[in-house]
Amino acid sequence: MNKSDKFNKEIVIMFDSKIYAQRRNKLKKQLKSGIALFLGNEESPMNYRDNPFHFRQDSSFLYFFGLDSPGLAGIVDVDEEKDIIFGNDLDVEDIIWMGDLPKLKDRALEAGVSHTLPYNELDKILKTAISKGKKIHFLPPYRMENTTKLCRLLGLCESMVKTYASEELIKAVVEQRSIKIKAEIDEIEKAHSIAYEMHTTAMKMTKPGIYEYEIAGRIEGIAAAMGGMISFPIILTINGQTLHNHYHGNKLVAGRLLVNDSGAETAMHYASDITRTIPVSGKFTSKQKDIYNIVLDAQESAIKAIKPGYKNKNTHFVAVKKIAKGLTGLGLMKGNTDEAVKAGAHALFMPHGLGHMMGLDVHDMEDVGENYVGYDEKTKRSDQFGLAYLRMAKELEPGHVLTVEPGIYFIPALIDKWKKEKKHLNFINYNKVDQYRDFGGIRIEDNVVVTKTGYRVIGKTIPKTTDDIEAITGTY
Ligand code: GLY
Ligand code: MN
């Protein structure tokens, strides 16, 4: 192993302490008053208390306080200009079973926090603040333990917790976390390089007779073996027409397409999220190639449209118009493309949005509410089928990181429903569509950072053209 290999393998779990301090100071300026409370996550038991799922820290806690272990909470006290981390040092029993950690006060310094208190002091500090009429800002919880904890700490009942979450804090957090600094983009690049290995390995393993779980298991292992973990449960399926298909029990059969939508998180939890579609036999049929190249054209055209000030809703339209036009060329759709897209007829084939923001979460910050992340005063969510699922629609800004992931799917249940309802008869040629009922689906996804002048696709290109995919498929 040479020196540079060794350097690359070093696990880095936190940024410089100054970064966390800057983030909290900015938050104080954004909020103006009150206390922002961030609850870290707890261990989550799989089947009994001492057998937990792999621990995953809350992303906003990671963003402002950086410490990646259970049993922590942090406050940013805007009025007192003070940050405190709450937690308990390990006792000897913890150390015997799970190993030691530096003292909390030393760990907190790594995040630039010089005040720490035992966890049970949190209750007192909050009650005192409340009695003085201070506002406690908190984000909407997504885990039951934290819902319960907030109820207890703030004297709320369960049904009130979501309502009392602070919109001011949500907006401040989204504003900060949406713009990635260079150090964060470097982490996302690292996550992409893990995804590169995952995807090229999957391509090499793809051949008739192998089971989906053999490939899914191997590539999940790659994420772990490269120092991270998967960024979401792997979607790897010959039934890619099911958008989030997590079943991995099928045997690959020649003639099918394998959709692999998977990505990794670095040790610092920054994500990648990539999709490739692979012909099981190693060669695309001409029918598959035609559809594949429509999706590829849609994806590449959408990426090229990305620039600051441009609404991502329009990037979505660039892609779906290419899809509608391509499908019209094949006789699956008909009529005027712009009118078909306006009416939402293309959503029979692509019933999802073009993509989402990505960062410390694969769908970044969706825990605080999708509309706060992807929409704003200038861009309201549509309720049209298909477009309603667009997660990121608002104007793009330098530092945004997003996915671009169009697809074409033949979903028999949806085809039958629309056909029965005689939906969009002037734009859809149902007789032709019926010839594709067993086609499956194709999705192609890359990760893009918005730059000052346009865009940059993150990472080394993972084979994407039909030629490049065919060249690598089944080569193990
Ligand atoms: N990678 C799955 C998704 O973006 O929904
Ligand atoms: Mn995605």
Side-chain angles (χ1 to χ4, degrees), residues 144-364:
M144 201 55 210
E145 308 93 78
N146 280 348
T147 304
T148 311
K149 223 183 260 185
L150 285 167
C151 295
R152 190 175 49 72
L153 289 166
L154 305 175
L156 299 169
C157 67
E158 201 185 301
S159 59
M160 288 155 71
V161 170
K162 279 232 152 71
T163 332
Y164 278 74
S166 161
E167 192 171 42
E168 243 181 298
L169 180 61
I170 292 172
K171 286 184 171 167
V173 168
V174 169
E175 191 185 317
Q176 277 209 52
R177 282 184 54 190
S178 293
I179 309 296
K180 273 72 182 175
I181 61 170
K182 181 168 181 309
E184 291 178 292
I185 292 168
D186 289 348
E187 277 296 307
I188 294 171
E189 297 265 1
K190 260 192 241 170
H192 184 278
S193 62
I194 304 174
Y196 183 96
E197 291 302 320
M198 292 165 73
H199 279 269
T200 50
T201 301
M203 287 170 182
K204 290 177 194 165
M205 289 178 78
T206 297
K207 55 179 75 156
I210 195 167
Y211 280 84
E212 292 162 345
Y213 61 79
E214 295 180 74
I215 306 176
R218 181 79 71 85
I219 67 173
E220 181 157 351
I222 289 173
M226 291 181 79
M229 58 192 261
I230 48 171
S231 49
F232 59 95
I234 289 173
I235 298 162
L236 187 136
T237 176
I238 53 169
N239 288 316
Q241 73 280 7
T242 305
L243 305 181
H244 280 179
N245 197 338
H246 294 138
Y247 178 72
H248 298 148
N250 296 305
K251 193 197 258 188
L252 270 55
V253 284
R256 294 292 299 177
L257 292 165
L258 180 72
V259 170
N260 174 15
D261 182 348
S262 57
E265 281 190 359
T266 59
M268 253 199 253
H269 299 288
Y270 283 87
S272 58
D273 179 7
I274 301 291
T275 308
R276 289 293 184 266
T277 305
I278 315 158
V280 171
S281 69
K283 291 263 174 258
F284 289 94
T285 64
S286 66
K287 189 175 178 182
Q288 288 168 344
K289 215 178 238 185
D290 285 344
I291 300 286
Y292 189 94
N293 284 328
I294 296 170
V295 180
L296 185 60
D297 181 33
Q299 200 235 16
E300 291 184 333
S301 306
I303 290 174
K304 283 188 193 124
I306 289 175
K307 59 176 181 222
Y310 192 64
K311 278 192 184 182
N312 204 47
K313 191 173 184 174
N314 293 329
T315 323
H316 172 90
F317 280 121
V318 169
V320 295
K321 278 183 188 173
K322 288 282 183 184
I323 282 173
K325 202 166 182 59
L327 292 175
T328 303
L330 293 180
L332 288 145
M333 291 185 74
K334 57 189 175 180
N336 179 287
T337 300
D338 287 348
E339 284 170 23
V341 165
K342 201 163 171 221
H346 63 281
L348 176 64
F349 308 98
M350 180 174 146
H352 61 75
L354 186 65
H356 48 87
M357 278 220 198
M358 197 183 74
L360 274 169
D361 307 295
V362 63
H363 286 193
D364 215 17

Side-chain angles (χ1 to χ4, degrees), residues 47 81 296 324 358 377 440:
N47 47 350
E81 292 193 26
L296 185 60
M358 197 183 74
E377 284 308 311

Side-chain angles (χ1 to χ4, degrees), residues 3 24 97 110 123 165-166 171 179 187 189 202 211 254 261 290 306 309 322 344 353 358 394 404 408 447-448 460 472:
K3 209 172 164 207
R24 292 189 303 270
W97 287 96
E110 300 281 316
D123 198 28
S166 161
K171 286 184 171 167
I179 309 296
E187 277 296 307
E189 297 265 1
Y211 280 84
D261 182 348
D290 285 344
I306 289 175
K322 288 282 183 184
M358 197 183 74
K394 69 188 180 191
V404 181
I408 293 180
N447 307 146
V448 177
K460 187 162 107 181
I472 187 175

Side-chain angles (χ1 to χ4, degrees), residues 355-388:
H356 48 87
M357 278 220 198
M358 197 183 74
L360 274 169
D361 307 295
V362 63
H363 286 193
D364 215 17
M365 302 170 280
E366 279 189 11
D367 58 313
V368 302
E370 259 179 67
N371 283 346
Y372 289 110
V373 182
Y375 292 83
D376 58 17
E377 284 308 311
K378 287 194 272 182
T379 315
K380 296 287 163 210
R381 191 186 280 268
S382 159
D383 58 8
Q384 186 186 67
F385 178 77
L387 190 54

